[in-house]
Amino acid sequence: MSIEHCKIIELPKIAEPRGNLTFIEGNNHIPFDIRRVYYLYDVPGGSERGGHAHKALSQLIIAMSGSFDVVLDDGGEKKRFHLNRSYQGLYVCPMIWRELDNFSSGSVCMVLASNIYEESDYYRDYEEFM
């Protein structure tokens, strides 16, 4: 896969005076079934997360609160996405190296994943990924 398959997905947003609501349905709003959900929080300023790629896993990365950047790399091209809206998610397809940085204070990053955790699905060394 290449970086051009990765994109911002606009999620449904129901706005009303009492507050907004956004929902996500697997294989409807995103191109995979949701098998795992995890989130990052209390990330110290200046820290980086990620630094890996997945062989088969697809993900949707959402800034639930605050903001952060996601840098994607397919080995030929790099692209930086700034996430700061809870009704937008960044779809990341398999075989894309990702790094998260520039976390704002109090930010929360939620990730929807297409499969359960499997260590064998990870590339944790960039050279091996290449």
Side-chain angles (χ1 to χ4, degrees):
M1 295 267 182
S2 71
I3 207 166
E4 61 194 37
H5 292 99
C6 302
K7 63 184 178 185
I8 296 290
I9 294 177
E10 294 286 329
L11 301 168
K13 179 181 175 184
I14 300 170
E16 61 173 74
R18 298 178 300 156
N20 300 328
L21 181 140
T22 291
F23 59 96
I24 305 164
E25 297 172 350
N27 273 324
N28 184 7
H29 303 110
I30 58 175
F32 58 86
D33 277 330
I34 301 165
R35 300 274 320 275
R36 179 169 52 124
V37 177
Y38 64 92
Y39 44 96
L40 307 170
Y41 55 97
D42 294 340
V43 178
S47 294
E48 293 182 1
R49 297 296 308 240
H52 62 267
H54 290 281
K55 298 171 185 173
L57 188 80
S58 294
Q59 295 181 319
L60 188 76
I61 303 172
I62 304 167
M64 297 304 294
S65 180
S67 66
F68 52 87
D69 291 350
V70 182
V71 180
L72 301 180
D73 178 351
D74 64 8
E77 179 184 358
K78 285 187 180 184
K79 191 167 183 183
R80 179 177 291 270
F81 294 86
H82 183 69
L83 299 181
N84 63 354
R85 302 275 186 249
S86 57
Y87 54 86
Q88 295 177 333
L90 175 60
Y91 170 67
V92 182
C93 62
M95 296 303 294
I96 302 292
W97 189 267
R98 81 279 323 271
E99 295 178 359
L100 286 72
D101 63 15
N102 197 26
F103 285 87
S104 69
S105 177
S107 60
V108 177
C109 168
M110 183 173 73
V111 181
L112 308 179
S114 65
N115 212 341
I116 60 173
Y117 174 82
E118 293 181 37
E119 181 59 34
S120 62
D121 185 60
Y122 283 75
Y123 282 110
R124 296 192 185 274
D125 179 86
Y126 187 78
E127 296 305 318
E128 182 183 343
F129 166 71
M130 293 302 294

